[in-house]
Amino acid sequence: MPLAVNRNSDQYMWASEVGGDDIGRVKQSALEEVAYLVDYSRWLAVDETISSAVVTHSDATTPDLVISADELLDDNKVLFKVSEGREGSRYEIRIEITTSNGQVKIDTLRLSVGSASPSAAFESIWNELSIGTVETGAPGSLAEAEITGDAPNQVLNLVLPSGPTGLQGDQGYQGDQGDPGPEGDVGPAAWGPVAAWAPATDYTNVAPADVVTNNGETFVCHTPHTSGGAFDASKFTKIAQKGADGLGAGDMVGANNLSEITSATTARSNLGLVAVASTGA
């Protein structure tokens, strides 16, 4: 005879909601008699009830597992009691119901018989469901859920549709002006020193660009090149133009020490100079 064990309530569990499946894994002592209550209300259709229930088990042992007092409660629950069994054995308890609509459903409760000790605790091994992959589906598509693996360790994979694009938010406040940046390095001079143009010379427009004089005018290079035998004005930009010749005639040569002047007196008068006493004026 099983030892009477004080239970606060029947061991309550839900039937699987889709098809037949494990509804749980439990453990009890070989000296216990435990009542199990399986609730089918989530699986039954509206106004559908349980017409009959048969509870059996697999793997006969010595001593064998005893299932008794299977009965219906509230037309949607099955109550049965389990006792004895061989210590260390595992059993599959098969609950088969027939409904008022003619449906037949089979669920399995897996039970392990532990130590034949009055102090052996009842242990319910519940399924542990963890989240696996979570993917984003196309907008407007249906959500998808898939459970993989075997109880009590199973994985739930989800595909969740993305929502529609939301309304554009209000413009944010203008941020504070940032601190001034560090002063940059002094760049190179734009133009180099002025030099007379020469043939067979490399000229560049990269700062400092080459500046040359030619025929009394000044140019800056705008196209890098190596000069040929004649000045090519298409490679330069003119920056100083030669002035017009004066209206006077004749030449003055410094080496002659102004001896070309016809009249020194007239020259002094033209220059606004006062007459000075000099020999040979």
Side-chain angles (χ1 to χ4, degrees), residues 27-31 87-88 113-120:
K27 182 178 180 181
Q28 70 181 61
S29 165
L31 298 180
E87 180 180 345
V113 176
S115 172
S117 169
S119 62

Side-chain angles (χ1 to χ4, degrees), residues 81-98:
K81 294 181 180 180
V82 178
S83 60
E84 301 189 30
R86 186 176 65 190
E87 180 180 345
S89 296
R90 296 181 178 182
Y91 302 89
E92 290 185 2
I93 298 177
R94 185 175 185 267
I95 307 106
E96 180 178 339
I97 67 165
T98 303

Side-chain angles (χ1 to χ4, degrees), residues 6 40 238:
N6 181 20
Y40 289 82
K238 186 186 294 186

Side-chain angles (χ1 to χ4, degrees), residues 59-80:
D59 303 326
T61 59
T62 303
D64 200 7
L65 193 70
V66 176
I67 298 176
S68 61
D70 52 307
E71 59 181 294
L72 303 179
L73 296 179
D74 302 327
D75 295 329
N76 59 14
K77 302 178 183 68
V78 175
L79 175 66
F80 58 93

